[in-house]
Amino acid sequence: MAEVSDIQTRIQEAARIIIARYGVNNATIQAIVEEAGTSKGALYHYYRSKNEVLYDVMDASLKESTRVAQKMHAGARPDEVLHYITSGLDERFDKVDENRLQFYLAHEAMLGNKELKSKFARKYDEWIGRVEEMLLGIYGVPETSLNRAIAAAAIATVDGMVMQDLLGVGIISKEEALKVWEIILYKVLPFILEDIHKQELMDGKTKDR
Amino acid sequence: MAEVSDIQTRIQEAARIIIARYGVNNATIQAIVEEAGTSKGALYHYYRSKNEVLYDVMDASLKESTRVAQKMHAGARPDEVLHYITSGLDERFDKVDENRLQFYLAHEAMLGNKELKSKFARKYDEWIGRVEEMLLGIYGVPETSLNRAIAAAAIATVDGMVMQDLLGVGIISKEEALKVWEIILYKVLPFILEDIHKQELMDGKTKDR
Amino acid sequence: MAEVSDIQTRIQEAARIIIARYGVNNATIQAIVEEAGTSKGALYHYYRSKNEVLYDVMDASLKESTRVAQKMHAGARPDEVLHYITSGLDERFDKVDENRLQFYLAHEAMLGNKELKSKFARKYDEWIGRVEEMLLGIYGVPETSLNRAIAAAAIATVDGMVMQDLLGVGIISKEEALKVWEIILYKVLPFILEDIHKQELMDGKTKDR
Amino acid sequence: MAEVSDIQTRIQEAARIIIARYGVNNATIQAIVEEAGTSKGALYHYYRSKNEVLYDVMDASLKESTRVAQKMHAGARPDEVLHYITSGLDERFDKVDENRLQFYLAHEAMLGNKELKSKFARKYDEWIGRVEEMLLGIYGVPETSLNRAIAAAAIATVDGMVMQDLLGVGIISKEEALKVWEIILYKVLPFILEDIHKQELMDGKTKDR
DNA sequence: CATGAATGAGCGTTCATTCAT
DNA sequence: GATGAATGAACGCTCATTCAT
């Protein structure tokens, strides 16, 4: 039924390749249809505009991100999760084109693209929720009012590191970044979560919701 | 004597506004000069090309960032620095336009603008160095091989949080973010630096250089 | 099947007309496509740049000139050739637009257009060679070291006369010009070639190569 | 009274230099006033438009041509005249920039510039008249109805040769060209004028006017 | 369904010309 | 008189989009 290599799919993949290879600014319709081995007319048969093509690429890209996130279910032991995260980060740093694409999408979203913005919001929501679960599952601490904020901060750190990488800052290597994450995962997070928990018990606080 | 609102300044400010409002791609010469209330010819009297306008905006924007960073010299006590950082972060989250501008410029740099990229690289280098100094100054620990990586990670975290904010992710509020930073500054960083230092002593390592 | 008036042809003809009418400098893309009754986009579909349009016009114009020249193959008797040349000159003086076009293109070449210059150089080379052959064929004299120079001088004379005509100097009429050519062809050239040949024999010279 | 180095003169000389050095297309007002060491405003004080500047340069250029022509008064012996002509041609071939300028002016005239056209007409008139006088003076033949046409043809040949030179045709060297002129002056012209004269006597013709 | 020739608004840039100082 | 900052029309060129075939 579903053709594996139908024209729409070929266009989407071509767009992804062209953006990755030449950047979004040079991703012209002409370049995309040439890469896809089809014609402008065909493209406009499946898409209403160039933006729709980009949205499609973006959808696929965000779905892929989510797919990766879903692999990190609340596994049992920290070392397993560390392994997931480590290899995940490893991969993410290597996917230069994918990262560039994501930043392009973020750019578009910031410019006021409502649909994109809500997609991003959902994506981050899912990511952050998943990391929060992991915090609970791995470190076995009860919820604190800051678990969610800490999860968001962790994700922010990854995004920021990737951005530095794309900008060619080159001050910390992937290896150093992974060492820092090792410390965060093995030492900082257990320490901090325990600390917050104690603090909140002393304050007589229970979880906010 | 010195004109406060000479044409070049007006062009630069107009470019800032247009980029922040519509993104780099839509910051056309026409849009900029209209916003500045001047003409294309005047723009090309002061700048050789559109890129030069971008560089100028970038320079001004990064200088502003640096100005903020410079206030955080290696002051004596952590609580003072915390205060600086907290208020600095506070400010940064509020400067939506400035943040957007920086992300748009970063995006342009990622897309292959070599000069912009090297400007960013230099700037991050400076920021990271400054934060590294602060780590030493505040926490009084000797250098570890990861100080630089930790400084970079801290900056990455801020950038990532700002990005989430710009994307309207809205999962964590500014208040929560600042609480997280309080914990990082008061507890995590002293803990982690001490820990790494001990570890490196045990490994017989001395500082690398 | 073969469209007589396809867009590319219309563009080329329009360019010829515009250049002949207003000169190369005023032959803007806009003017050409308006004359051709088409659009800029169509022009750029067939040509990569404005220069390519110029080259195409040039090529067509020079081919037309060559077509005329080719009719003057080394025919047997001087009176036949004279007839060809006379009618050829006649035609050339009448083709005001074509002449103007060639002068405008030559002007552009002189101003530094390398490709145009080399096209002209090749074309003159061919013309001069052809006239040289005619000198040999008609007057039956052996080669002298100056045959080529004399051929070039003959062509130069035609060009110069055409230029005077285009400039409206109006001192000599076409009829007078043709009479002069009659004398050159019937009397001067046989005389001069014979004279040079004798001279070179006396000097113990043989043909140079 | 007349300032030797007043601004107008400096502008004219600068324009001449710039056109010679970079071609007419690159002879911008900016380049000219920079070369002249003055300002745009000053230029527009002395000239109504850029074209007027060019006309001024042209006037000087054509006057210079005439000045050269005037040196070739109907001198006594052919060898003297040959010397003048030879050195004159020699010079003309070397003045590449001057020649380019003249062809630019011719271009402008052909485009319909009435004033320029009449200047050219006068210049050619003078040149041709002078050459005609020379023909009479040197070769001592009475006027024939074609003297004027032959003079015009001689000038046309020079112009055509110079054009070939500017186009980089490079088939005949300056040396070869001068040899051809030697033959023309010493042999062809005496022969042809005598021949025409005889012919006209036989036809019972006298000079037309 | 698919094609690619055709469109034209819009881009960055140039430069002759003007005019307040 | 002299200056050069400012103007804006016009340039060559790009490319998302349309539509006859």
Side-chain angles (χ1 to χ4, degrees), chain C residues 51 65 73 83 110 113 115 117 119 136 149:
Chain C
N51 260 348
S65 300
H73 47 76
H83 174 255
M110 289 174 203
N113 186 321
E115 197 165 341
K117 216 171 166 176
K119 276 181 202 280
L136 286 172

Side-chain angles (χ1 to χ4, degrees), chain B residues 7-21:
Chain B
I7 298 265
Q8 182 160 16
T9 307
R10 291 216 325 262
I11 289 170
Q12 200 205 93
E13 281 166 1
R16 289 172 72 85
I17 290 167
I18 294 291
I19 293 171
R21 199 183 293 157

Side-chain angles (χ1 to χ4, degrees), chain D:
Chain D
M1 303 288 145
E3 281 209 30
V4 175
S5 166
D6 71 321
I7 290 194
Q8 183 159 11
T9 308
R10 291 223 316 271
I11 289 171
Q12 197 207 99
E13 282 166 0
R16 183 182 270 277
I17 289 166
I18 292 294
I19 292 170
R21 199 182 295 157
Y22 306 115
V24 175
N25 285 344
N26 299 315
T28 63
I29 293 287
Q30 185 61 43
I32 290 167
V33 297
E34 265 173 27
E35 177 69 28
T38 181
S39 67
K40 292 182 182 184
L43 186 147
Y44 277 93
H45 183 74
Y46 292 106
Y47 294 97
R48 256 209 210 77
S49 69
K50 183 184 175 181
N51 256 348
E52 278 202 358
V53 179
L54 296 180
Y55 290 167
D56 213 20
V57 170
M58 155 206 102
D59 255 351
S61 176
L62 290 183
K63 262 179 201 136
E64 166 69 11
S65 296
T66 308
R67 201 185 55 72
V68 171
Q70 282 166 343
K71 289 200 308 190
M72 299 189 206
H73 49 75
R77 285 165 302 122
D79 58 344
E80 271 180 23
V81 175
L82 175 61
H83 175 256
Y84 277 129
I85 292 175
T86 303
S87 64
L89 285 170
D90 211 26
E91 259 185 55
R92 173 138 191 217
F93 276 101
D94 287 343
K95 286 181 183 169
V96 174
D97 299 330
E98 186 71 20
N99 286 326
R100 246 202 323 228
L101 178 60
Q102 293 258 347
F103 274 100
Y104 165 69
L105 298 173
H107 183 239
E108 279 296 308
M110 288 177 200
L111 280 175
N113 185 319
K114 290 275 167 29
E115 196 182 336
L116 213 41
K117 232 174 160 171
S118 79
K119 277 184 206 254
F120 264 109
R122 250 176 289 139
K123 174 198 143 175
Y124 272 94
D125 203 37
E126 166 140 14
W127 270 88
I128 292 169
R130 208 158 287 272
V131 170
E132 200 186 351
E133 279 173 28
M134 272 170 32
L135 292 179
L136 287 172
I138 298 166
Y139 304 110
V141 293
E143 300 182 38
T144 75
S145 63
L146 285 178
N147 278 20
R148 205 158 178 70
I150 287 166
I155 287 170
T157 307
V158 175
D159 285 336
M161 281 176 167
V162 168
M163 193 165 74
Q164 283 178 25
D165 192 45
L166 286 176
L167 285 171
V169 173
I171 277 173
I172 59 168
S173 61
K174 197 171 70 175
E175 285 69 33
E176 287 172 316
L178 292 178
K179 266 193 209 157
V180 170
W181 274 102
E182 198 176 326
I183 293 166
I184 292 173
L185 291 166
Y186 275 97
K187 306 206 166 150
V188 170
L189 288 175
F191 168 78
I192 193 178
L193 289 167
E194 184 63 27
D195 189 84
I196 296 169
H197 182 52
K198 276 194 217 147
Q199 196 67 40
E200 295 195 342
L201 281 180
M202 280 168 57
D203 293 352
K205 261 191 193 165
T206 62
K207 71 180 176 92
D208 280 30
R209 40 172 323 212

Side-chain angles (χ1 to χ4, degrees), chain C residues 116-126, chain D residues 167-169 171:
Chain C
L116 220 43
K117 216 171 166 176
S118 80
K119 276 181 202 280
F120 265 110
R122 247 176 292 139
K123 231 50 191 178
Y124 269 93
D125 202 34
E126 182 174 339
Chain D
L167 285 171
V169 173
I171 277 173

